Amino acid sequence: MPGRARWLQAASATLALGFSLPGHAIDFGPDGMFSLNGFGEVTATVGNNQCPPEGCQLSPETDRQRIWADAVVPGRKLSTDVTGFSQFQLWLGVKYNLGGGFGLKGTLSQNWRDGKIDAPGFVRERNIALSHEDYGTLTVGETVSRTWQFADFPFGSNLGLSSAWAGTGAGYRNLTRAVRYTSRVFDVAAGDLVLEATFDRGSDNFKVNKPSFYELWAHYGKGDLSLDAMYQDTRNGTPSAFGAAVFYAPFYDAAADGRLGGSGQSVALLQAIYQYSPKIELSGAIRRNRWSGAYAVVALDGPPVQFNFPFNVDWGGTLNGVPNPGYSARSTDFALGARYRMEKWTFSTGLVYIGRASTSNPSERGQSNSALVNTIGATYNYGNGWEASAFAGMIHYRLKGLSPLGLPSNATINAIDSRVTKAGNWFGVGIKYNF
């Protein structure tokens, strides 16, 4: 097969695993130079063990890492509640053939959840890419990390585990000043290999605690097996356990730079999808999280007094003369799933285990807790981009108390708060349109 045609065929197979945009693009302009595609979905969910309408937390807008966020509303009764959710995303693309094997491509995209921009003040994607069939692709601008992208789609989304898997752990999603190199497809051991490296320097306004982001991605596909290995290492982003966070700076105001202590975190992720038969698809993943911890300090004088974004703090304690120190932590998470296709129906089941964390922190900040999430679902494809679905799930915490350190909040999974209950269930229906 000619080199260019062969590369394009292999690249198409790789892109189909999640590197491309969902749906079928609407092409327009000279020679289909522009494309528009996206999706919209609406779901309604019934869940038990809820604390409506404000939730269980006494200070609902406070980050879980701050000790005054631990308190729950006294005497609030749990109930069954109905919640709605909507999501809409658009991609606008432009491509131009420069000749000689070179191509130029631009992407602009944004995501809205419940009518609001998902990450206020940030664009999901706004980048330009220069590619060559032999030399690979160089992309510059705002984009998303691979550790979030592949955990979300197709892995998590296909199993009803997008929030539980892609939205947890020590990674970041939004990149604001990224430079990314993606190799061409290589023939390795009778399969296809793609390698990629990404760097993001974040905000230039922080001179003492300078942000930095590095990510490596390797994809290997052979026959019915697809493997994705990712490693993300960051310094001085906002400390968190929210895998869909924005990587930009350690604090929202650079005036606090001199008061902040540096922090870092990293995530290593391996995911596999295996097409066991034309009807049966199996998947599995393992993730290793690491946080350096971030001590608590008054970042800006008030009123009101504004604390930094601490992580895994021993509130009231000291370490090497430092009050309210942050401790390092590590945890391991797992995911499993299976899908069965039957004509227009696809049935699925998935499992996520958010593990206990290893840390020297003498205070309990959730490191002793773990969570097990199970889901089942059925999707019917009406054709022409329309899908209807029904789903159900459950979560079980090891302990009643602060949620596992790998979760961004105490009520991350379907608003079932680990401080007031050890378990909860939900079921719902939804409709989605891809174009």
Side-chain angles (χ1 to χ4, degrees), residues 355-376:
R356 286 181 280 177
S358 173
T359 179
S360 298
N361 190 348
S363 297
E364 180 58 51
R365 300 306 304 161
Q367 64 265 31
S368 300
N369 211 350
S370 62
L372 184 65
V373 182
N374 298 102
T375 60
I376 57 172

PDB file of all heavy atoms in Angstrom, residues 355-376:
ATOM      1  N   GLY A 355      -9.778   3.889  45.473  1.00  0.00           N
ATOM      2  CA  GLY A 355      -9.079   3.236  46.566  1.00  0.00           C
ATOM      3  C   GLY A 355      -8.721   4.127  47.739  1.00  0.00           C
ATOM      4  O   GLY A 355      -8.752   5.364  47.659  1.00  0.00           O
ATOM      5  N   ARG A 356      -8.383   3.479  48.847  1.00  0.00           N
ATOM      6  CA  ARG A 356      -7.856   4.182  50.008  1.00  0.00           C
ATOM      7  C   ARG A 356      -6.499   4.787  49.665  1.00  0.00           C
ATOM      8  O   ARG A 356      -5.786   4.285  48.796  1.00  0.00           O
ATOM      9  CB  ARG A 356      -7.731   3.230  51.198  1.00  0.00           C
ATOM     10  CG  ARG A 356      -9.057   2.873  51.828  1.00  0.00           C
ATOM     11  CD  ARG A 356      -8.873   1.953  53.025  1.00  0.00           C
ATOM     12  NE  ARG A 356      -8.663   0.564  52.612  1.00  0.00           N
ATOM     13  CZ  ARG A 356      -8.425  -0.430  53.465  1.00  0.00           C
ATOM     14  NH1 ARG A 356      -8.315  -0.186  54.758  1.00  0.00           N
ATOM     15  NH2 ARG A 356      -8.282  -1.662  53.009  1.00  0.00           N
ATOM     16  N   ALA A 357      -6.140   5.856  50.379  1.00  0.00           N
ATOM     17  CA  ALA A 357      -4.887   6.548  50.108  1.00  0.00           C
ATOM     18  C   ALA A 357      -3.850   6.222  51.172  1.00  0.00           C
ATOM     19  O   ALA A 357      -4.176   6.028  52.350  1.00  0.00           O
ATOM     20  CB  ALA A 357      -5.114   8.051  50.047  1.00  0.00           C
ATOM     21  N   SER A 358      -2.599   6.187  50.764  1.00  0.00           N
ATOM     22  CA  SER A 358      -1.476   6.007  51.676  1.00  0.00           C
ATOM     23  C   SER A 358      -0.875   7.383  51.966  1.00  0.00           C
ATOM     24  O   SER A 358      -0.451   8.096  51.049  1.00  0.00           O
ATOM     25  CB  SER A 358      -0.424   5.091  51.035  1.00  0.00           C
ATOM     26  OG  SER A 358       0.737   5.039  51.822  1.00  0.00           O
ATOM     27  N   THR A 359      -0.856   7.775  53.241  1.00  0.00           N
ATOM     28  CA  THR A 359      -0.347   9.088  53.621  1.00  0.00           C
ATOM     29  C   THR A 359       0.109   9.057  55.072  1.00  0.00           C
ATOM     30  O   THR A 359      -0.355   8.223  55.867  1.00  0.00           O
ATOM     31  CB  THR A 359      -1.429  10.173  53.445  1.00  0.00           C
ATOM     32  OG1 THR A 359      -0.899  11.450  53.850  1.00  0.00           O
ATOM     33  CG2 THR A 359      -2.663   9.871  54.272  1.00  0.00           C
ATOM     34  N   SER A 360       0.992   9.984  55.438  1.00  0.00           N
ATOM     35  CA  SER A 360       1.468  10.107  56.819  1.00  0.00           C
ATOM     36  C   SER A 360       0.661  11.123  57.613  1.00  0.00           C
ATOM     37  O   SER A 360       0.989  11.402  58.777  1.00  0.00           O
ATOM     38  CB  SER A 360       2.949  10.508  56.824  1.00  0.00           C
ATOM     39  OG  SER A 360       3.745   9.524  56.209  1.00  0.00           O
ATOM     40  N   ASN A 361      -0.368  11.687  57.015  1.00  0.00           N
ATOM     41  CA  ASN A 361      -1.186  12.686  57.702  1.00  0.00           C
ATOM     42  C   ASN A 361      -1.825  12.067  58.956  1.00  0.00           C
ATOM     43  O   ASN A 361      -2.573  11.089  58.856  1.00  0.00           O
ATOM     44  CB  ASN A 361      -2.284  13.191  56.762  1.00  0.00           C
ATOM     45  CG  ASN A 361      -3.015  14.402  57.318  1.00  0.00           C
ATOM     46  OD1 ASN A 361      -2.881  14.760  58.488  1.00  0.00           O
ATOM     47  ND2 ASN A 361      -3.791  15.051  56.470  1.00  0.00           N
ATOM     48  N   PRO A 362      -1.554  12.623  60.145  1.00  0.00           N
ATOM     49  CA  PRO A 362      -2.149  12.051  61.360  1.00  0.00           C
ATOM     50  C   PRO A 362      -3.637  12.350  61.501  1.00  0.00           C
ATOM     51  O   PRO A 362      -4.312  11.720  62.317  1.00  0.00           O
ATOM     52  CB  PRO A 362      -1.347  12.718  62.488  1.00  0.00           C
ATOM     53  CG  PRO A 362      -0.871  14.007  61.906  1.00  0.00           C
ATOM     54  CD  PRO A 362      -0.621  13.722  60.460  1.00  0.00           C
ATOM     55  N   SER A 363      -4.146  13.297  60.704  1.00  0.00           N
ATOM     56  CA  SER A 363      -5.568  13.622  60.729  1.00  0.00           C
ATOM     57  C   SER A 363      -6.300  12.837  59.649  1.00  0.00           C
ATOM     58  O   SER A 363      -5.755  12.585  58.568  1.00  0.00           O
ATOM     59  CB  SER A 363      -5.793  15.119  60.500  1.00  0.00           C
ATOM     60  OG  SER A 363      -5.208  15.886  61.531  1.00  0.00           O
ATOM     61  N   GLU A 364      -7.539  12.484  59.944  1.00  0.00           N
ATOM     62  CA  GLU A 364      -8.350  11.777  58.946  1.00  0.00           C
ATOM     63  C   GLU A 364      -8.957  12.784  57.975  1.00  0.00           C
ATOM     64  O   GLU A 364      -9.792  13.613  58.348  1.00  0.00           O
ATOM     65  CB  GLU A 364      -9.464  10.985  59.637  1.00  0.00           C
ATOM     66  CG  GLU A 364     -10.359  10.229  58.670  1.00  0.00           C
ATOM     67  CD  GLU A 364      -9.587   9.247  57.803  1.00  0.00           C
ATOM     68  OE1 GLU A 364      -8.812   8.434  58.352  1.00  0.00           O
ATOM     69  OE2 GLU A 364      -9.772   9.308  56.567  1.00  0.00           O
ATOM     70  N   ARG A 365      -8.532  12.691  56.701  1.00  0.00           N
ATOM     71  CA  ARG A 365      -9.074  13.566  55.651  1.00  0.00           C
ATOM     72  C   ARG A 365      -9.705  12.757  54.524  1.00  0.00           C
ATOM     73  O   ARG A 365      -9.849  13.251  53.409  1.00  0.00           O
ATOM     74  CB  ARG A 365      -7.972  14.478  55.087  1.00  0.00           C
ATOM     75  CG  ARG A 365      -7.309  15.407  56.076  1.00  0.00           C
ATOM     76  CD  ARG A 365      -8.299  16.263  56.836  1.00  0.00           C
ATOM     77  NE  ARG A 365      -9.151  17.039  55.930  1.00  0.00           N
ATOM     78  CZ  ARG A 365     -10.312  17.573  56.287  1.00  0.00           C
ATOM     79  NH1 ARG A 365     -10.783  17.406  57.505  1.00  0.00           N
ATOM     80  NH2 ARG A 365     -11.021  18.265  55.414  1.00  0.00           N
ATOM     81  N   GLY A 366     -10.068  11.516  54.806  1.00  0.00           N
ATOM     82  CA  GLY A 366     -10.698  10.657  53.820  1.00  0.00           C
ATOM     83  C   GLY A 366      -9.788   9.558  53.317  1.00  0.00           C
ATOM     84  O   GLY A 366     -10.225   8.713  52.528  1.00  0.00           O
ATOM     85  N   GLN A 367      -8.534   9.547  53.780  1.00  0.00           N
ATOM     86  CA  GLN A 367      -7.588   8.552  53.271  1.00  0.00           C
ATOM     87  C   GLN A 367      -7.957   7.123  53.646  1.00  0.00           C
ATOM     88  O   GLN A 367      -7.544   6.181  52.972  1.00  0.00           O
ATOM     89  CB  GLN A 367      -6.167   8.871  53.738  1.00  0.00           C
ATOM     90  CG  GLN A 367      -5.959   8.800  55.238  1.00  0.00           C
ATOM     91  CD  GLN A 367      -6.108  10.144  55.907  1.00  0.00           C
ATOM     92  OE1 GLN A 367      -6.875  10.980  55.450  1.00  0.00           O
ATOM     93  NE2 GLN A 367      -5.365  10.366  56.993  1.00  0.00           N
ATOM     94  N   SER A 368      -8.749   6.942  54.699  1.00  0.00           N
ATOM     95  CA  SER A 368      -9.135   5.597  55.124  1.00  0.00           C
ATOM     96  C   SER A 368     -10.369   5.075  54.404  1.00  0.00           C
ATOM     97  O   SER A 368     -10.739   3.908  54.563  1.00  0.00           O
ATOM     98  CB  SER A 368      -9.400   5.577  56.640  1.00  0.00           C
ATOM     99  OG  SER A 368      -8.243   5.954  57.351  1.00  0.00           O
ATOM    100  N   ASN A 369     -10.995   5.921  53.635  1.00  0.00           N
ATOM    101  CA  ASN A 369     -12.234   5.531  52.971  1.00  0.00           C
ATOM    102  C   ASN A 369     -11.972   5.076  51.536  1.00  0.00           C
ATOM    103  O   ASN A 369     -10.955   5.430  50.921  1.00  0.00           O
ATOM    104  CB  ASN A 369     -13.219   6.704  52.958  1.00  0.00           C
ATOM    105  CG  ASN A 369     -14.669   6.250  53.019  1.00  0.00           C
ATOM    106  OD1 ASN A 369     -14.971   5.068  52.881  1.00  0.00           O
ATOM    107  ND2 ASN A 369     -15.578   7.195  53.217  1.00  0.00           N
ATOM    108  N   SER A 370     -12.883   4.294  51.002  1.00  0.00           N
ATOM    109  CA  SER A 370     -12.859   3.880  49.602  1.00  0.00           C
ATOM    110  C   SER A 370     -14.291   3.854  49.088  1.00  0.00           C
ATOM    111  O   SER A 370     -15.245   3.947  49.876  1.00  0.00           O
ATOM    112  CB  SER A 370     -12.206   2.496  49.434  1.00  0.00           C
ATOM    113  OG  SER A 370     -12.949   1.507  50.130  1.00  0.00           O
ATOM    114  N   ALA A 371     -14.453   3.745  47.790  1.00  0.00           N
ATOM    115  CA  ALA A 371     -15.797   3.743  47.199  1.00  0.00           C
ATOM    116  C   ALA A 371     -15.859   2.756  46.047  1.00  0.00           C
ATOM    117  O   ALA A 371     -14.908   2.629  45.265  1.00  0.00           O
ATOM    118  CB  ALA A 371     -16.179   5.138  46.712  1.00  0.00           C
ATOM    119  N   LEU A 372     -16.982   2.062  45.951  1.00  0.00           N
ATOM    120  CA  LEU A 372     -17.235   1.137  44.847  1.00  0.00           C
ATOM    121  C   LEU A 372     -18.491   1.596  44.125  1.00  0.00           C
ATOM    122  O   LEU A 372     -19.553   1.731  44.736  1.00  0.00           O
ATOM    123  CB  LEU A 372     -17.431  -0.279  45.371  1.00  0.00           C
ATOM    124  CG  LEU A 372     -17.600  -1.376  44.316  1.00  0.00           C
ATOM    125  CD1 LEU A 372     -16.331  -1.542  43.492  1.00  0.00           C
ATOM    126  CD2 LEU A 372     -17.979  -2.696  44.983  1.00  0.00           C
ATOM    127  N   VAL A 373     -18.361   1.858  42.831  1.00  0.00           N
ATOM    128  CA  VAL A 373     -19.474   2.322  42.002  1.00  0.00           C
ATOM    129  C   VAL A 373     -19.787   1.262  40.953  1.00  0.00           C
ATOM    130  O   VAL A 373     -18.885   0.801  40.246  1.00  0.00           O
ATOM    131  CB  VAL A 373     -19.133   3.656  41.299  1.00  0.00           C
ATOM    132  CG1 VAL A 373     -20.317   4.145  40.472  1.00  0.00           C
ATOM    133  CG2 VAL A 373     -18.721   4.714  42.318  1.00  0.00           C
ATOM    134  N   ASN A 374     -21.051   0.864  40.860  1.00  0.00           N
ATOM    135  CA  ASN A 374     -21.504  -0.098  39.850  1.00  0.00           C
ATOM    136  C   ASN A 374     -22.599   0.530  39.000  1.00  0.00           C
ATOM    137  O   ASN A 374     -23.462   1.242  39.523  1.00  0.00           O
ATOM    138  CB  ASN A 374     -22.064  -1.367  40.507  1.00  0.00           C
ATOM    139  CG  ASN A 374     -21.035  -2.100  41.333  1.00  0.00           C
ATOM    140  OD1 ASN A 374     -21.038  -1.993  42.543  1.00  0.00           O
ATOM    141  ND2 ASN A 374     -20.149  -2.823  40.683  1.00  0.00           N
ATOM    142  N   THR A 375     -22.585   0.257  37.700  1.00  0.00           N
ATOM    143  CA  THR A 375     -23.612   0.784  36.796  1.00  0.00           C
ATOM    144  C   THR A 375     -24.092  -0.299  35.838  1.00  0.00           C
ATOM    145  O   THR A 375     -23.352  -1.245  35.518  1.00  0.00           O
ATOM    146  CB  THR A 375     -23.079   1.961  35.957  1.00  0.00           C
ATOM    147  OG1 THR A 375     -21.963   1.505  35.162  1.00  0.00           O
ATOM    148  CG2 THR A 375     -22.645   3.120  36.837  1.00  0.00           C
ATOM    149  N   ILE A 376     -25.330  -0.158  35.385  1.00  0.00           N
ATOM    150  CA  ILE A 376     -25.860  -0.936  34.265  1.00  0.00           C
ATOM    151  C   ILE A 376     -26.601   0.037  33.357  1.00  0.00           C
ATOM    152  O   ILE A 376     -27.088   1.079  33.814  1.00  0.00           O
ATOM    153  CB  ILE A 376     -26.806  -2.072  34.719  1.00  0.00           C
ATOM    154  CG1 ILE A 376     -27.970  -1.508  35.541  1.00  0.00           C
ATOM    155  CG2 ILE A 376     -26.049  -3.127  35.506  1.00  0.00           C
ATOM    156  CD1 ILE A 376     -29.036  -2.540  35.867  1.00  0.00           C
TER     157      ILE A 376
END
